């Protein structure tokens, strides 16, 4: 899985790539990072309205929480599995996904494939 392209797919779905987006529960950035995750993984001076800062925070969370959770459960680190954990939290590695989470993961996978093709075509 290409993490940069994965995050591009997440940003497309979560906010339409809007760096100023805020969610109902206080989520921030184009990736709609929860306040808890932002506080845990942002470094001093990083801003949720700066795309590169938000991407770093998202990457830290994915590599520290989501990928290890999937690995502990013996689950493949697929686009759908990581997307489900992004949407539902790392607990998605341990529990069946509700239909809404499954739909989200499938939408991310479709956008991911489109972005992968664009990236490949551009090279």
């Amino acid at each position: 899985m290409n993490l940069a392209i994965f995050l591009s797919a997440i940003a497309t779905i979560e906010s339409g790539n809007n760096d100023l987006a805020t969610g109902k529960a206080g989520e921030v950035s184009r990736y709609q990072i929860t306040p808890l995750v932002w506080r845990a993984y942002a470094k001093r001076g990083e801003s949720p309205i700066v795309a590169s800062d938000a991407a770093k925070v998202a990457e830290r969370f994915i590599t520290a929480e989501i990928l290890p959770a999937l690995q502990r459960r013996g689950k493949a680190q697929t686009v759908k599995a990581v997307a489900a954990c992004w949407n539902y939290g790392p607990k998605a590695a341990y529990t069946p996904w509700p239909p809404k989470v499954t739909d989200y993961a499938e939408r991310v996978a479709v956008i991911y494939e489109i972005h992968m093709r664009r990236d490949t075509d551009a090279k």
Side-chain angles (χ1 to χ4, degrees), residues 14-120:
E14 289 288 349
S15 70
N17 295 305
N18 180 356
D19 292 317
L20 302 176
T22 56
K24 293 176 189 172
E27 301 92 347
V28 294
S29 88
R30 62 180 46 216
Y31 309 109
Q32 292 297 275
I33 299 169
T34 65
L36 181 66
V37 169
W38 187 267
R39 284 191 303 274
Y41 291 98
K43 293 183 179 177
R44 182 182 303 271
E46 288 180 326
S47 171
I49 64 170
V50 176
S52 60
D53 289 352
K56 289 174 193 172
V57 173
E59 288 174 13
R60 286 181 205 123
F61 175 65
I62 290 167
T63 57
E65 300 285 339
I66 293 175
L67 298 179
L70 290 167
Q71 186 175 17
R72 281 191 298 274
R73 279 304 272 181
K75 293 191 175 181
Q77 297 172 350
T78 64
V79 170
K80 285 183 184 179
V82 176
C85 290
W86 181 265
N87 182 252
Y88 198 52
K91 66 183 175 188
Y94 302 95
T95 61
W97 304 342
K100 186 175 179 181
V101 174
T102 300
D103 292 345
Y104 177 88
E106 289 173 355
R107 286 186 296 134
V108 170
V110 168
I111 299 297
Y112 177 87
E113 288 304 320
I114 291 168
H115 289 201
M116 281 292 289
R117 278 190 233 116
R118 285 185 190 155
D119 188 60
T120 301

